[in-house]
Amino acid sequence: MIKLNRLTILLLSVIFFAIFVVFSIDVRANDDHAKEHQEYIIKLADEKCNEELTSIPGVGKVNAENPYRNVVTVHVEENEFQLQRAYRHRCVEKIEKNHKVELLSSSKYVQYHIDQLNVPAAWEFEGEYSPIVAVVDSGVNPHFLFADRLLEGFNVTNWTTDTFDREGHGTAVAGLIAANRDNDVGIAGMSRSYILPVKVEDDWGNIFIFDVVNAIDWAVANGADIINLSLGTVLPDDPYKSTLYEAVRDAYQQGVIIVAAAGNYGNHPEIGGNAEVYPAAYPETISVAAVDQNNQKASFSSYGPTVDLSAPGVDIISTSHDDHFIIVDGTSFSAPIVTGIVSQILSFDRNFTPDQIKTILKNGTLPIPDKRVGAGVADAYYANHIAFHRKSDLTPVLADIHKSYARFEILYLYDHGIISGKTQSLFAPDEEIDRGQMAKLISEALGLQVDANVKGCDFPDVPANRWDAPYITAVCQAGIMYGKGDGKFYARAKTTREEMAVIFMRALGLANKADELSLNSNFTDAHLFNNWSKNEIALAAEIGLIRGIQNQDGSYRFDPKGTTQRQAAARLTYELYTRGDYYRQKAEELN
């Protein structure tokens, strides 16, 4: 039996512990209706104890019940004697204070995260299944951008289907996950999910742990694939004895994926940015911190070893509860961005476990120097790529590109059959690319084929049985790459940077335009350019295709005689393959 003195310390610590939360809209609770001072959560020993509980002196009637677990809320006279008496009763298996949760916020008056996380490319993986995402929040209003994807939800504070969102927090979260992207008037949601709203905010703007527990249980029972928890709290010494943990653990064990906001305490003078915020700090969840559009940790974001990864959470534009739009800050809005990535993955493969999804997300991040905010910044395309190829260790197909500046471009071209690795699992991004490999890249990107009727592209050093022979012939016939002065092609020779510029300008059909404009170059080493390359280099820089290498004084050089790395060639090939019309239009505007 637990000794009374230890019990007294435990209960008193629960009584006086203040709770805080990670939502993102400022709501001041009505003190007249606040329940925190005397309402407790009691786990009953058995189902018969519900009526017997009220016979305990100092214990009031049952206020609310959780139908999924043997838990109720009651009012208890707040003195040490009554608390000890309640705890000793045979019907009381566990007692904890029903702490109040407040909505905090920072809303201002562009949707940069879509491009920052390579979301449009990730949509190419999208499957036919539309996951059900439970948004446990302040409610969700039917915004015109996702009203057709809004399911009938539930209000756990009054056990009705009224999920009206007075504050707008939940509606903003839902929009980031599922707003219809096939429009030109608003924003794009991350996925084609269905939103299952579960309201946990009562009529006075209060949220309590008991309601969050009920919401998680209800969401699981009603078919949620993912639960988004843009809320959190700082719990007493042992958070694993909380009913909240039981709900999270049970959902996890049933295969439901839980994404939670890491917290907004980065600047808090008392709590501190590294405080563990729950439920995000539970290992069964995916904890998401916030970064800005430069992938720097948001000043307000919580951080620490329990954070799994980060996502944009500064100046995020989403749907408002009045059918308009709003710009908001907070880890509350980083979490649904990651939830959207999870939904993208489940759309084509529903068989991933919560642990596998967490591994995919963490392996698919963009590394950043600040290790306080998890494995890195979420990358929608990278995560989808890993999930789609589903290697046994859930790592990328090309294992050595994680830190490459052209990582996205390499993966995209790989998935579209334009490039392959140097070996089965390695790309060698830092290695130099030779002329034969360059011919293959250009040929695949443009879909070139050898025309047997075109002559003059046979090279004495390129026998017909070479692997790159058809690509070399094709780019020669297209007027993109030629042999050297002695008539040989030199397929194994490294491609210089000025050759690279000329090759891609020819592939874009802009070589003649470059000669016509004959622009002056701003590169500091322009005097080293050959006559056959100077116009193409100048135009390529003018339209933004190439940037050069920055000098210490802020100017740029091009290094024309230097060799081209495989990752640089991949980046330019991606631009040719996906944005060729854009660069041709930019060149035309220079007339």
Short mmCIF file of all heavy atoms in Angstrom, two decimals, residues 427-447:
data_model
loop_
_atom_site.label_atom_id
_atom_site.label_comp_id
_atom_site.label_asym_id
_atom_site.label_seq_id
_atom_site.Cartn_x
_atom_site.Cartn_y
_atom_site.Cartn_z
N PHE A 427 24.75 7.71 -55.98
CA PHE A 427 24.72 8.62 -57.11
C PHE A 427 26.06 9.31 -57.33
O PHE A 427 26.39 9.71 -58.45
CB PHE A 427 23.64 9.68 -56.91
CG PHE A 427 23.52 10.63 -58.06
CD1 PHE A 427 22.95 10.22 -59.26
CD2 PHE A 427 24.01 11.93 -57.97
CE1 PHE A 427 22.85 11.10 -60.34
CE2 PHE A 427 23.92 12.81 -59.04
CZ PHE A 427 23.33 12.39 -60.23
N ALA A 428 26.86 9.46 -56.29
CA ALA A 428 28.14 10.17 -56.35
C ALA A 428 27.93 11.61 -56.81
O ALA A 428 28.46 12.04 -57.85
CB ALA A 428 29.11 9.44 -57.29
N PRO A 429 27.20 12.41 -56.06
CA PRO A 429 26.87 13.78 -56.49
C PRO A 429 28.07 14.68 -56.68
O PRO A 429 28.04 15.60 -57.51
CB PRO A 429 25.96 14.30 -55.38
CG PRO A 429 26.29 13.46 -54.19
CD PRO A 429 26.63 12.11 -54.73
N ASP A 430 29.16 14.45 -55.94
CA ASP A 430 30.33 15.32 -56.01
C ASP A 430 31.29 14.94 -57.13
O ASP A 430 32.22 15.69 -57.43
CB ASP A 430 31.09 15.30 -54.69
CG ASP A 430 30.27 15.87 -53.54
OD1 ASP A 430 29.47 16.78 -53.79
OD2 ASP A 430 30.41 15.39 -52.40
N GLU A 431 31.09 13.79 -57.74
CA GLU A 431 31.99 13.37 -58.82
C GLU A 431 31.73 14.17 -60.09
O GLU A 431 30.64 14.72 -60.30
CB GLU A 431 31.82 11.87 -59.09
CG GLU A 431 32.41 10.98 -58.02
CD GLU A 431 32.44 9.52 -58.44
OE1 GLU A 431 32.23 9.24 -59.65
OE2 GLU A 431 32.68 8.67 -57.57
N GLU A 432 32.75 14.21 -60.95
CA GLU A 432 32.63 14.94 -62.21
C GLU A 432 31.87 14.10 -63.22
O GLU A 432 31.97 12.87 -63.25
CB GLU A 432 34.02 15.27 -62.74
CG GLU A 432 34.85 16.12 -61.77
CD GLU A 432 36.34 16.02 -62.04
OE1 GLU A 432 36.78 14.92 -62.44
OE2 GLU A 432 37.04 17.01 -61.82
N ILE A 433 31.10 14.76 -64.06
CA ILE A 433 30.33 14.07 -65.08
C ILE A 433 31.09 14.12 -66.41
O ILE A 433 31.63 15.17 -66.79
CB ILE A 433 28.92 14.69 -65.22
CG1 ILE A 433 28.05 13.81 -66.14
CG2 ILE A 433 28.97 16.13 -65.70
CD1 ILE A 433 26.59 14.20 -66.11
N ASP A 434 31.13 13.00 -67.09
CA ASP A 434 31.85 12.99 -68.37
C ASP A 434 30.87 13.28 -69.51
O ASP A 434 29.64 13.35 -69.32
CB ASP A 434 32.61 11.68 -68.58
CG ASP A 434 31.73 10.45 -68.66
OD1 ASP A 434 30.65 10.52 -69.26
OD2 ASP A 434 32.12 9.39 -68.11
N ARG A 435 31.41 13.40 -70.71
CA ARG A 435 30.60 13.83 -71.86
C ARG A 435 29.59 12.77 -72.27
O ARG A 435 28.48 13.09 -72.71
CB ARG A 435 31.51 14.20 -73.03
CG ARG A 435 32.22 15.53 -72.81
CD ARG A 435 33.34 15.76 -73.83
NE ARG A 435 32.94 15.58 -75.21
CZ ARG A 435 32.31 16.49 -75.95
NH1 ARG A 435 32.01 17.68 -75.42
NH2 ARG A 435 31.99 16.25 -77.21
N GLY A 436 29.93 11.51 -72.10
CA GLY A 436 28.98 10.45 -72.41
C GLY A 436 27.80 10.46 -71.46
O GLY A 436 26.64 10.30 -71.89
N GLN A 437 28.08 10.63 -70.18
CA GLN A 437 27.00 10.71 -69.20
C GLN A 437 26.13 11.94 -69.44
O GLN A 437 24.90 11.89 -69.30
CB GLN A 437 27.59 10.77 -67.78
CG GLN A 437 28.30 9.48 -67.37
CD GLN A 437 29.12 9.67 -66.10
OE1 GLN A 437 29.46 10.80 -65.72
NE2 GLN A 437 29.45 8.55 -65.44
N MET A 438 26.75 13.05 -69.81
CA MET A 438 26.00 14.26 -70.11
C MET A 438 25.08 14.05 -71.32
O MET A 438 23.93 14.50 -71.33
CB MET A 438 26.94 15.43 -70.38
CG MET A 438 26.24 16.76 -70.64
SD MET A 438 25.41 17.42 -69.17
CE MET A 438 26.80 18.18 -68.33
N ALA A 439 25.59 13.35 -72.33
CA ALA A 439 24.77 13.05 -73.51
C ALA A 439 23.53 12.24 -73.12
O ALA A 439 22.43 12.49 -73.63
CB ALA A 439 25.60 12.29 -74.55
N LYS A 440 23.70 11.30 -72.20
CA LYS A 440 22.55 10.50 -71.75
C LYS A 440 21.53 11.36 -71.02
O LYS A 440 20.32 11.26 -71.25
CB LYS A 440 23.01 9.37 -70.83
CG LYS A 440 21.88 8.50 -70.28
CD LYS A 440 22.40 7.41 -69.37
CE LYS A 440 21.25 6.50 -68.89
NZ LYS A 440 20.26 7.21 -68.07
N LEU A 441 22.00 12.23 -70.11
CA LEU A 441 21.09 13.10 -69.38
C LEU A 441 20.24 13.95 -70.33
O LEU A 441 19.00 14.01 -70.20
CB LEU A 441 21.88 14.03 -68.46
CG LEU A 441 22.22 13.56 -67.04
CD1 LEU A 441 22.96 14.67 -66.31
CD2 LEU A 441 20.96 13.19 -66.29
N ILE A 442 20.89 14.62 -71.27
CA ILE A 442 20.18 15.50 -72.20
C ILE A 442 19.22 14.69 -73.07
O ILE A 442 18.07 15.08 -73.29
CB ILE A 442 21.17 16.29 -73.07
CG1 ILE A 442 22.08 17.16 -72.21
CG2 ILE A 442 20.42 17.13 -74.09
CD1 ILE A 442 21.36 18.21 -71.40
N SER A 443 19.68 13.57 -73.56
CA SER A 443 18.86 12.74 -74.44
C SER A 443 17.62 12.24 -73.73
O SER A 443 16.51 12.27 -74.28
CB SER A 443 19.71 11.57 -74.96
OG SER A 443 18.99 10.82 -75.92
N GLU A 444 17.77 11.80 -72.49
CA GLU A 444 16.62 11.29 -71.73
C GLU A 444 15.66 12.42 -71.37
O GLU A 444 14.43 12.26 -71.43
CB GLU A 444 17.09 10.59 -70.45
CG GLU A 444 17.89 9.32 -70.68
CD GLU A 444 17.02 8.14 -71.06
OE1 GLU A 444 15.84 8.35 -71.42
OE2 GLU A 444 17.51 7.00 -71.02
N ALA A 445 16.21 13.58 -71.00
CA ALA A 445 15.35 14.69 -70.61
C ALA A 445 14.50 15.19 -71.77
O ALA A 445 13.34 15.58 -71.58
CB ALA A 445 16.19 15.83 -70.05
N LEU A 446 15.06 15.20 -72.97
CA LEU A 446 14.34 15.69 -74.14
C LEU A 446 13.64 14.58 -74.91
O LEU A 446 12.92 14.85 -75.88
CB LEU A 446 15.31 16.43 -75.08
CG LEU A 446 15.96 17.69 -74.50
CD1 LEU A 446 16.91 18.30 -75.54
CD2 LEU A 446 14.91 18.71 -74.08
N GLY A 447 13.86 13.34 -74.51
CA GLY A 447 13.24 12.21 -75.22
C GLY A 447 13.76 12.05 -76.63
O GLY A 447 13.00 11.69 -77.55
#
